[in-house]
């Protein structure tokens, strides 16, 4: 995502108006913060909440400016920051010895980071705390170690330094470097400026073609018919054993079949082996691979 998002003129004017109003709103003293926070928490006084939120819109703007280089709309960053400000106001405890602005800054940063990670790329980035730290600190550390190198690759020593400083595997540093160097590309984008061919036109479809599907259906129908005919030649007990042991998704054990038929486990095994030999001989003349008829692994149900 190399390029920054550019809003249209009406959106730019709306953002600018919001920023001007936010910067004109006076900050609050510690006592004012605590009073407004208590009135909101204890009495659900919305006027107090609005005053508390509006006083620290400038915190949101300052934080959004730090994330604008990720190519996302400034207005969206500000909206996410305001959500963080709302979370902070609902969880702030006035009794603690901490300023609301300090507490709110953490929530604002957190919501913006989550938004960047969700929208920076269609490929999910930074799923663990360590990977998130790597994502948001990679550019800064690269610039500090090797200067503004544009698109050049980091040296092995530089990657090792970042790995050590952020306490992440070297492999993660290499993968993040490649992710930050690449841009998302639409499959509908043309390969060249003058041509009409799109990237998706050259993708290989690995799905079976209609002819293969029809052949597969016919083969399946034939196998089902052959198996039914072969099973019909078996005695009742052998047919039950084969059906319950091999032709069901959850095959039963030899012991369970023995209880059902009133015979020993060993006797079930003998009947099963004899029935399988009969089926094999019957089906071998029709099919190249008899195992296709019995996808269940019989060793699972001993």
């Amino acid at each position: 995502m190399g390029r920054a998002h550019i809003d249209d003129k009406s959106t730019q004017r709306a953002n600018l108006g919001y920023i001007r109003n936010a910067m004109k709103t006076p900050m609050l003293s510690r006592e004012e913060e605590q009073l407004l926070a208590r009135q909101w928490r204890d009495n659900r006084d919305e006027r107090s909440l609005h005053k508390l939120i509006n006083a620290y819109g400038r915190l949101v703007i300052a934080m959004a400016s730090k994330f604008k280089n990720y190519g996302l709309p400034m207005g969206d960053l500000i909206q996410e920051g305001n959500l963080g400000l709302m979370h902070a106001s609902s969880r702030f405890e006035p009794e603690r010895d901490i300023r609301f602005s300090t507490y709110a800054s953490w929530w604002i940063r957190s919501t913006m980071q989550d938004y960047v990670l969700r929208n920076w790329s269609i490929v999910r980035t930074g799923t663990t705390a360590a990977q998130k730290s790597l994502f948001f600190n990679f550019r800064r550390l690269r610039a500090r170690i090797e200067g503004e190198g544009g698109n050049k690759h980091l040296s092995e020593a530089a990657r090792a330094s970042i790995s050590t400083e952020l306490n992440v595997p070297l492999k993660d540093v290499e993968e993040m470097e490649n992710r930050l160097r690449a841009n998302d590309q639409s499959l509908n984008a043309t390969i060249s400026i003058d041509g009409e061919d799109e990237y998706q036109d050259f993708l290989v479809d690995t799905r079976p073609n209609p002819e293969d599907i029809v052949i597969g259906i016919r083969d399946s129908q034939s196998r089902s018919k052959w198996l039914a005919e072969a099973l019909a030649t078996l005695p009742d007990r052998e047919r039950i054993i084969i059906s319950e042991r091999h032709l069901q998704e959850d095959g039963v054990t030899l012991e369970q079949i023995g209880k059902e038929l009133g015979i020993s486990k060993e006797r079930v095994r003998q009947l099963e082996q004899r029935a399988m030999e009969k089926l094999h001989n019957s089906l071998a003349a029709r099919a190249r691979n008899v195992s296709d008829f019995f996808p269940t692994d019989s060793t699972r149900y001993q």
Side-chain angles (χ1 to χ4, degrees):
M1 305 291 290
R3 295 190 305 166
H5 173 87
I6 300 178
D7 291 316
D8 57 45
K9 291 185 178 180
S10 60
T11 302
Q12 290 177 356
R13 287 195 296 269
N15 289 341
L16 184 59
Y18 174 85
I19 292 172
R20 286 174 175 171
N21 290 333
M23 300 305 292
K24 291 178 181 179
T25 304
M27 300 284 282
L28 301 174
S29 65
R30 178 189 293 270
E31 292 73 19
E32 289 175 319
E33 286 180 353
Q34 292 179 340
L35 176 61
L36 293 173
R38 285 195 180 94
Q39 289 176 340
W40 166 241
R41 184 192 63 184
D42 299 337
N43 304 319
R44 312 312 291 176
D45 184 358
E46 293 186 1
R47 294 174 63 181
S48 296
L49 172 63
H50 292 162
K51 187 173 182 179
L52 186 65
I53 294 298
N54 292 334
Y56 292 105
R58 64 181 65 198
L59 287 179
V60 174
I61 295 168
M63 195 70 68
S65 65
K66 295 180 180 180
F67 289 99
K68 65 181 181 181
N69 290 331
Y70 288 98
L72 298 171
M74 186 69 172
D76 289 356
L77 288 169
I78 291 175
Q79 289 181 5
E80 292 295 322
N82 284 329
L83 289 177
L85 199 55
M86 292 291 292
H87 285 306
S89 65
S90 65
R91 290 168 170 80
F92 181 62
E93 298 179 8
E95 294 77 13
R96 295 195 173 188
D97 187 22
I98 182 174
R99 290 292 303 267
F100 176 77
S101 56
T102 303
Y103 182 74
S105 294
W106 185 92
W107 280 99
I108 295 169
R109 181 185 300 107
S110 178
T111 53
M112 286 189 186
Q113 286 180 340
D114 288 343
Y115 170 75
V116 170
L117 289 173
R118 291 195 312 271
N119 296 278
W120 179 80
S121 170
I122 59 174
V123 179
R124 192 174 182 184
T125 304
T127 56
T128 67
Q131 290 172 339
K132 291 178 182 179
S133 176
L134 176 59
F135 177 83
F136 287 108
N137 289 283
F138 184 87
R139 289 189 177 92
R140 175 180 60 82
L141 293 176
R142 180 178 65 180
R144 191 188 70 188
I145 294 171
E146 293 196 343
E148 295 295 339
N151 291 324
K152 75 173 185 177
H153 287 284
L154 284 170
S155 65
E156 290 296 331
R159 294 191 189 102
S161 176
I162 294 175
S163 173
T164 300
E165 181 160 344
L166 296 180
N167 193 27
V168 296
L170 182 60
K171 180 182 178 182
D172 286 358
V173 177
E174 295 171 349
E175 291 178 353
M176 187 62 68
E177 179 184 10
N178 292 330
R179 284 290 300 116
L180 293 176
R181 283 169 54 85
N183 293 332
D184 290 340
Q185 191 73 266
S186 171
L187 292 177
N188 295 117
T190 56
I191 294 178
S192 62
I193 298 177
D194 299 328
E196 297 181 356
D197 293 330
E198 300 178 353
Y199 282 100
Q200 67 176 2
D201 297 333
F202 294 89
L203 294 178
V204 177
D205 189 352
T206 58
R207 296 173 300 177
N209 59 45
E211 181 180 357
D212 291 336
I213 294 174
V214 172
I215 293 175
I217 292 174
R218 289 180 177 176
D219 288 347
S220 178
Q221 291 173 342
S222 297
R223 285 195 297 268
S224 297
K225 178 183 177 182
W226 296 339
L227 180 58
E229 292 173 351
L231 284 172
T233 65
L234 297 178
D236 290 343
R237 289 197 303 184
E238 293 180 8
R239 186 167 59 252
I240 291 173
I241 292 172
I242 295 301
S243 297
E244 296 193 8
R245 289 272 291 164
H246 299 279
L247 301 181
Q248 296 183 14
E249 184 175 352
D250 297 322
V252 298
T253 64
L254 295 171
E255 185 176 359
Q256 290 173 317
I257 290 285
K259 290 180 179 179
E260 179 182 342
L261 299 178
I263 57 179
S264 67
K265 174 181 176 181
E266 183 57 32
R267 182 55 179 160
V268 174
R269 189 192 305 276
Q270 294 172 357
L271 292 173
E272 178 185 37
Q273 183 176 358
R274 186 168 68 186
M276 290 297 290
E277 290 175 354
K278 293 178 181 178
L279 289 175
H280 185 279
N281 294 333
S282 176
L283 295 171
R286 300 183 175 186
R288 287 176 297 178
N289 192 355
V290 179
S291 63
D292 289 343
F293 293 88
F294 304 101
T296 302
D297 182 3
S298 61
T299 60
R300 293 168 53 194
Y301 310 113
Q302 299 299 320

